[in-house]
Amino acid sequence: MKIEFGGAGAGMRIRFVSKEQPGVSKAEFSAKPNKTLYLREEKALCVGIGEKFDGQTLRSAAGTAIRALQKIGITRAALDVAPWISHVEAIVEGAVLAAYRFDKFKAANGPAFETLRLLNAPAAAKARARSAAAAAEAANYARDLANQPGNVIWPETLAAEARGLAARKKLGVKIYDEKMLRAGGFGGLLAVGGGSARGPRLIVLEHKGAPRSKEVIALVGKAITFDSGGISLKNPEHMEEMIFDKCGGMAVLGAMAGIADLGLRRNVVGVIASAENLPGPDAYRPGDIVTAYDGKHIEIINTDAEGRVVLADAIGYARKEKKAAAIIDLATLTGAIGVALGDYAAGLWSTSDALRAELLEAAAASGERLWPMPLYQEYSDQIESQVALLKNTGGRLGGSCTAAAFLKTFAGETPWAHLDIAYTASLEKERPDLARGATGFGVRTLIRLVENWKPV
Ligand code: BES
Ligand code: MN
Ligand code: ZN
């Protein structure tokens, strides 16, 4: 979808309507958020924004407008942004995210939305709109990969995609295949990937936006291309949704694409741990003791707690090999985060108050909710093992927090944050402003984090 500026205001108009200033001829329009009213004669689509609106209200309203127009076959529209000038970024993000549809295997209903024309945008707002469009396109790129199933995307094909991205965006790239993983001592990735005929990969992407600085920000992502649970096999109900178990890694890939497009002046390394978790003949088993990249030993209790095992390697690599100044990992890590927060927010854990604050700020500006969660010593006690440094599960209680406590071990003294995006990364059903499937959660927050980075 294209964002354009200016021009005569002919053609279809989008109008945001608040409760105080209806400005709409039809008195019956309630102006409730995301309610729409199509005025055929006036060639206008009204979208309610309620009484107290903020950036997120407008982001969502813009999305609702685009999807409503797309449904009736309208592919171009204009919006006067003068009244909403401080929220131009949110509006553009909402529009670009809403225009995305996954139509690789089934033709979409009607033509794709083509152009949103912003009227009365001053130069500074145009620049902000262009950056916002780039960030949202990066999120759509992540969604398009995440939506593809396990027989289309597996670690090797994902690595090939990352190589192509690196070439297009002029990013550094290194792919560790199984031989290199063995030589490098990546015991976690090799263990989890062992059960699949399609072996694991570690994908490393580098953006050198500040060549004179030694500071490197590491973005780490879990990319399990399909999670069956392995020997600790999952129930069949909803198992097909485990194609979305790569969303943390896709968020990192998308963020790297956006960071490169925007030419952000920071050094950023993206580390994506990719494996397929299947119960094949070489699968890892409960009771196994796995040696992670940094030499720490993990007792496997449940092979379905595989995300933390591959992330142990990736986080250790970011710390030891890349000497990262900060590590931020994203993972569809636990079902328990859905029990705790629903699909309304991702859990956020951090060993650094400064890093946590920066993430909360970037997320708030992006309309992606993060909720701070604790790292009490007791969670670490819960995953103490009799035979190794730690075990990969700690029982039912506090399941998301013991998973975070596990990851913390591998970050060592490096400032670290973890986002559990298990239920925010994908939608079962479409929303007025967003298609079903992968949401691209985290991409825009990560881009904003790097954009506004203050050393931690
Ligand atoms: N990928 C899952 C987490 C998940 C569950 C994501 C539901 C999205 C929706 C993860 O690998 C997993 O299986 N976690 C287990 C951990 C348990 C075995 C300690 C879980 O949450 O049940
Ligand atoms: Mn699992
Ligand atoms: Zn998983």
Side-chain angles (χ1 to χ4, degrees), residues 366-378:
S366 309
E368 297 187 315
R369 288 206 189 110
L370 299 182
W371 193 257
M373 302 286 283
L375 286 166
Y376 303 134
Q377 175 59 37
E378 284 86 341

PDB file of all heavy atoms in Angstrom, residues 366-378:
ATOM      1  N   SER A 366       4.031   2.683  20.110  1.00  0.00           N
ATOM      2  CA  SER A 366       3.690   1.785  19.003  1.00  0.00           C
ATOM      3  C   SER A 366       2.313   1.162  19.149  1.00  0.00           C
ATOM      4  O   SER A 366       1.860   0.452  18.248  1.00  0.00           O
ATOM      5  CB  SER A 366       4.730   0.657  18.912  1.00  0.00           C
ATOM      6  OG  SER A 366       6.032   1.186  18.886  1.00  0.00           O
ATOM      7  N   GLY A 367       1.675   1.378  20.276  1.00  0.00           N
ATOM      8  CA  GLY A 367       0.382   0.739  20.519  1.00  0.00           C
ATOM      9  C   GLY A 367       0.510  -0.753  20.731  1.00  0.00           C
ATOM     10  O   GLY A 367      -0.423  -1.514  20.476  1.00  0.00           O
ATOM     11  N   GLU A 368       1.696  -1.186  21.185  1.00  0.00           N
ATOM     12  CA  GLU A 368       1.897  -2.608  21.503  1.00  0.00           C
ATOM     13  C   GLU A 368       2.054  -2.692  23.018  1.00  0.00           C
ATOM     14  O   GLU A 368       2.996  -2.141  23.578  1.00  0.00           O
ATOM     15  CB  GLU A 368       3.130  -3.150  20.776  1.00  0.00           C
ATOM     16  CG  GLU A 368       2.951  -3.100  19.266  1.00  0.00           C
ATOM     17  CD  GLU A 368       4.067  -3.767  18.465  1.00  0.00           C
ATOM     18  OE1 GLU A 368       5.258  -3.557  18.772  1.00  0.00           O
ATOM     19  OE2 GLU A 368       3.746  -4.482  17.518  1.00  0.00           O
ATOM     20  N   ARG A 369       1.125  -3.389  23.666  1.00  0.00           N
ATOM     21  CA  ARG A 369       1.147  -3.384  25.125  1.00  0.00           C
ATOM     22  C   ARG A 369       2.160  -4.374  25.685  1.00  0.00           C
ATOM     23  O   ARG A 369       2.154  -5.539  25.339  1.00  0.00           O
ATOM     24  CB  ARG A 369      -0.229  -3.733  25.672  1.00  0.00           C
ATOM     25  CG  ARG A 369      -1.265  -2.644  25.513  1.00  0.00           C
ATOM     26  CD  ARG A 369      -2.301  -2.847  26.604  1.00  0.00           C
ATOM     27  NE  ARG A 369      -3.464  -1.997  26.434  1.00  0.00           N
ATOM     28  CZ  ARG A 369      -4.674  -2.458  26.091  1.00  0.00           C
ATOM     29  NH1 ARG A 369      -4.866  -3.746  25.889  1.00  0.00           N
ATOM     30  NH2 ARG A 369      -5.683  -1.617  25.980  1.00  0.00           N
ATOM     31  N   LEU A 370       3.003  -3.856  26.595  1.00  0.00           N
ATOM     32  CA  LEU A 370       3.917  -4.696  27.365  1.00  0.00           C
ATOM     33  C   LEU A 370       3.558  -4.512  28.836  1.00  0.00           C
ATOM     34  O   LEU A 370       3.260  -3.393  29.261  1.00  0.00           O
ATOM     35  CB  LEU A 370       5.374  -4.260  27.169  1.00  0.00           C
ATOM     36  CG  LEU A 370       5.945  -4.317  25.750  1.00  0.00           C
ATOM     37  CD1 LEU A 370       7.410  -3.893  25.773  1.00  0.00           C
ATOM     38  CD2 LEU A 370       5.807  -5.718  25.178  1.00  0.00           C
ATOM     39  N   TRP A 371       3.579  -5.604  29.588  1.00  0.00           N
ATOM     40  CA  TRP A 371       3.262  -5.500  31.008  1.00  0.00           C
ATOM     41  C   TRP A 371       4.419  -6.062  31.827  1.00  0.00           C
ATOM     42  O   TRP A 371       4.809  -7.202  31.624  1.00  0.00           O
ATOM     43  CB  TRP A 371       1.955  -6.238  31.342  1.00  0.00           C
ATOM     44  CG  TRP A 371       1.484  -5.871  32.694  1.00  0.00           C
ATOM     45  CD1 TRP A 371       1.591  -6.630  33.825  1.00  0.00           C
ATOM     46  CD2 TRP A 371       0.873  -4.637  33.076  1.00  0.00           C
ATOM     47  NE1 TRP A 371       1.069  -5.944  34.888  1.00  0.00           N
ATOM     48  CE2 TRP A 371       0.628  -4.715  34.474  1.00  0.00           C
ATOM     49  CE3 TRP A 371       0.515  -3.469  32.389  1.00  0.00           C
ATOM     50  CZ2 TRP A 371       0.033  -3.670  35.177  1.00  0.00           C
ATOM     51  CZ3 TRP A 371      -0.076  -2.430  33.101  1.00  0.00           C
ATOM     52  CH2 TRP A 371      -0.311  -2.544  34.467  1.00  0.00           C
ATOM     53  N   PRO A 372       4.969  -5.244  32.740  1.00  0.00           N
ATOM     54  CA  PRO A 372       6.145  -5.680  33.515  1.00  0.00           C
ATOM     55  C   PRO A 372       5.833  -6.870  34.425  1.00  0.00           C
ATOM     56  O   PRO A 372       4.804  -6.903  35.086  1.00  0.00           O
ATOM     57  CB  PRO A 372       6.515  -4.453  34.347  1.00  0.00           C
ATOM     58  CG  PRO A 372       5.783  -3.308  33.740  1.00  0.00           C
ATOM     59  CD  PRO A 372       4.559  -3.868  33.077  1.00  0.00           C
ATOM     60  N   MET A 373       6.730  -7.825  34.432  1.00  0.00           N
ATOM     61  CA  MET A 373       6.582  -9.062  35.206  1.00  0.00           C
ATOM     62  C   MET A 373       7.830  -9.245  36.080  1.00  0.00           C
ATOM     63  O   MET A 373       8.891  -8.713  35.778  1.00  0.00           O
ATOM     64  CB  MET A 373       6.429 -10.253  34.254  1.00  0.00           C
ATOM     65  CG  MET A 373       5.249 -10.157  33.289  1.00  0.00           C
ATOM     66  SD  MET A 373       3.652 -10.439  34.045  1.00  0.00           S
ATOM     67  CE  MET A 373       3.654 -12.217  34.195  1.00  0.00           C
ATOM     68  N   PRO A 374       7.723 -10.043  37.158  1.00  0.00           N
ATOM     69  CA  PRO A 374       8.831 -10.135  38.120  1.00  0.00           C
ATOM     70  C   PRO A 374       9.852 -11.245  37.832  1.00  0.00           C
ATOM     71  O   PRO A 374       9.551 -12.211  37.131  1.00  0.00           O
ATOM     72  CB  PRO A 374       8.097 -10.438  39.433  1.00  0.00           C
ATOM     73  CG  PRO A 374       6.890 -11.210  39.013  1.00  0.00           C
ATOM     74  CD  PRO A 374       6.508 -10.727  37.641  1.00  0.00           C
ATOM     75  N   LEU A 375      11.032 -11.053  38.429  1.00  0.00           N
ATOM     76  CA  LEU A 375      12.115 -12.049  38.353  1.00  0.00           C
ATOM     77  C   LEU A 375      12.550 -12.415  39.773  1.00  0.00           C
ATOM     78  O   LEU A 375      13.725 -12.317  40.117  1.00  0.00           O
ATOM     79  CB  LEU A 375      13.307 -11.476  37.574  1.00  0.00           C
ATOM     80  CG  LEU A 375      13.178 -11.348  36.063  1.00  0.00           C
ATOM     81  CD1 LEU A 375      14.290 -10.457  35.494  1.00  0.00           C
ATOM     82  CD2 LEU A 375      13.218 -12.713  35.386  1.00  0.00           C
ATOM     83  N   TYR A 376      11.601 -12.820  40.604  1.00  0.00           N
ATOM     84  CA  TYR A 376      11.949 -13.176  41.984  1.00  0.00           C
ATOM     85  C   TYR A 376      12.901 -14.363  42.013  1.00  0.00           C
ATOM     86  O   TYR A 376      12.841 -15.246  41.152  1.00  0.00           O
ATOM     87  CB  TYR A 376      10.684 -13.537  42.781  1.00  0.00           C
ATOM     88  CG  TYR A 376       9.640 -12.454  42.820  1.00  0.00           C
ATOM     89  CD1 TYR A 376       8.306 -12.766  42.588  1.00  0.00           C
ATOM     90  CD2 TYR A 376       9.971 -11.126  43.108  1.00  0.00           C
ATOM     91  CE1 TYR A 376       7.322 -11.785  42.627  1.00  0.00           C
ATOM     92  CE2 TYR A 376       8.993 -10.143  43.151  1.00  0.00           C
ATOM     93  CZ  TYR A 376       7.669 -10.470  42.898  1.00  0.00           C
ATOM     94  OH  TYR A 376       6.709  -9.508  42.930  1.00  0.00           O
ATOM     95  N   GLN A 377      13.745 -14.368  43.038  1.00  0.00           N
ATOM     96  CA  GLN A 377      14.689 -15.484  43.229  1.00  0.00           C
ATOM     97  C   GLN A 377      13.950 -16.824  43.254  1.00  0.00           C
ATOM     98  O   GLN A 377      14.449 -17.838  42.768  1.00  0.00           O
ATOM     99  CB  GLN A 377      15.483 -15.259  44.530  1.00  0.00           C
ATOM    100  CG  GLN A 377      16.421 -16.402  44.911  1.00  0.00           C
ATOM    101  CD  GLN A 377      17.465 -16.685  43.838  1.00  0.00           C
ATOM    102  OE1 GLN A 377      17.992 -15.772  43.181  1.00  0.00           O
ATOM    103  NE2 GLN A 377      17.760 -17.978  43.608  1.00  0.00           N
ATOM    104  N   GLU A 378      12.747 -16.836  43.832  1.00  0.00           N
ATOM    105  CA  GLU A 378      11.995 -18.098  43.958  1.00  0.00           C
ATOM    106  C   GLU A 378      11.760 -18.779  42.600  1.00  0.00           C
ATOM    107  O   GLU A 378      11.693 -19.996  42.520  1.00  0.00           O
ATOM    108  CB  GLU A 378      10.642 -17.862  44.646  1.00  0.00           C
ATOM    109  CG  GLU A 378      10.731 -17.649  46.149  1.00  0.00           C
ATOM    110  CD  GLU A 378      10.992 -16.202  46.542  1.00  0.00           C
ATOM    111  OE1 GLU A 378      11.459 -15.401  45.692  1.00  0.00           O
ATOM    112  OE2 GLU A 378      10.737 -15.854  47.714  1.00  0.00           O
TER     113      GLU A 378
END
